[in-house]
Amino acid sequence: MTNNPFPGLPLIESPIFPLNREQMGLSAEEARIATDLFENGYAVLDFPDGDLDARIARLQANLAPRYAIDFADPGSDKTVGERRIQDAWKFDDDVRAIASNQILLDLLGKLYGRAAFAFQTLNFPVGTQQEAHTDTVHFSSLPERFMCGVWVAMEDVLPGAGPLFYWPGSHRWPILTNALVGRSGFGKPLSSAQDPFGEGWRALLQQHAIEEQTFLARKGQALIWCANLLHGGSPQHDVTLTRWSQVTHYYFDDCIYYTPAFSDEALGRLQLRNLVAINDGLPRRNVYLGEPLSFEAGAKTPQRPSFVRELTKRWRK
Ligand SMILES: O=C(O)CCC(=O)C(=O)O
Ligand SMILES: [Fe+2]
C-alpha cells in the first residue's frame, strides 16, 4: 500500500476503503470479502483447508470426552454443563492447524494492512446462546479495531441449534468503552466483561432498528467478523442437536493489546494482555508505533518514568 493517510485503521475499516481497495492487490474473491467486511462488518467464505473434514473428525473425537455430554444418545440434552473449551490449540494439533491456517493469515494481513496472528481458540459442541455483544469489550487494540474473529462451522447448522446472529453494519456504531458508558473499570471485577455495555447496545439497536441476521452455515464455511460487529448465539431451541464450531480470535502486529472492560484508557490504566501467537508460538509484546511499551507488559499500571518515581520518593520523606 502506498499513500495510505490512515495506517492507524485497518484497510477494510477505513473511510477511504474504496480507494484502498484499488491498491491492495486483491483477487476478485478477496475483493468481495474485503467489501463485505467494509460494508457489513462480516464476510462468509469457504475455509481454505483441503484437510478440514479429517481435522474436524479428529478434533471432535479428541474433545468430545472433555465436555461431559452424552453425544452417543441422539435424544440426550447436549447443552448441559460447560460448553466451551478455551485454547484447545495447546493440546490439539488440528485446533492449532485451523487457527494457524496460512492462507487465512495471509488474507487477514492483506485486509487489515498488518500481519495477523491468532491468539485464542474456543471450541463449542453446541450453540453458545450468548447475548448480543461486540468482541471489542474483551479484546481491543491501540490503535483500535486491529482484531477480528473467525468462526468455522464444523457441521451444517440447523435453525434449532442456536445459530450465530449479527446486525450487518453495526461495526460502524460507536465502540462502547467504559468512558462512553460512564464508569471506571480498572481493577473492578465483573461477572461478565459484557455486563456494563448491554444497555448501550440495546439502545443502539433500538435507534437503528435493523434486522438481525442468522447464519445457517454449511459445514466448512467460515465467517470473519470485525471487532465491533454486534453478534451473539441464538437460543438453542432443540437441545438434542449439536453445533460444532471453532472460533479463533486474531490480532495484528504493532499494537497494544488489552481488555477495555477492565481499563480506563484516558488514565493510562490498561488491563494489558501478554500474548503468545498460536501460529508461531512466539510472544507478541505490546508495541505502539514500533516502540515497545516502556512499562513491563502485563503490569497493571504503567510505571512512571524513573525521575518521577525518584521525586515522589523524596516528597514522601
Ligand atoms: O458461536 C457463537 O455463538 C458466538 C461466539 C462468540 O461470540 C465469540 O467467540 O466471540
Ligand atoms: Fe463474540
Side-chain angles (χ1 to χ4, degrees), residues 28-109:
E29 172 63 355
E30 289 170 342
R32 195 267 310 161
I33 293 168
T35 306
D36 284 354
L37 287 168
F38 171 69
E39 286 175 357
N40 299 321
Y42 70 92
V44 175
L45 65 156
D46 290 331
F47 193 77
D49 180 350
D51 296 330
L52 188 64
D53 284 355
R55 293 193 191 289
I56 291 171
R58 276 195 302 263
L59 79 84
Q60 283 176 331
N62 189 15
L63 300 192
R66 299 167 194 258
Y67 290 112
I69 294 170
D70 182 2
F71 290 105
D73 174 2
S76 69
D77 182 349
K78 309 293 185 304
T79 66
V80 291
E82 181 59 46
R83 299 181 305 245
R84 66 177 216 168
I85 299 179
Q86 186 174 322
D87 291 328
W89 64 271
K90 290 180 178 169
F91 62 84
D92 188 287
D93 291 345
D94 293 300
V95 172
R96 191 170 63 247
I98 290 167
S100 308
N101 184 285
Q102 196 58 49
I103 296 172
L104 195 73
L105 284 166
D106 290 345
L107 172 65
L108 294 176

Side-chain angles (χ1 to χ4, degrees), residues 10-12 108-114 145-148 226 252:
L11 296 173
I12 46 103
L108 294 176
K110 262 184 170 176
L111 297 171
Y112 278 71
R114 298 184 186 204
R145 295 180 187 271
F146 282 99
M147 183 269 151
C148 70
C226 291
F252 296 81

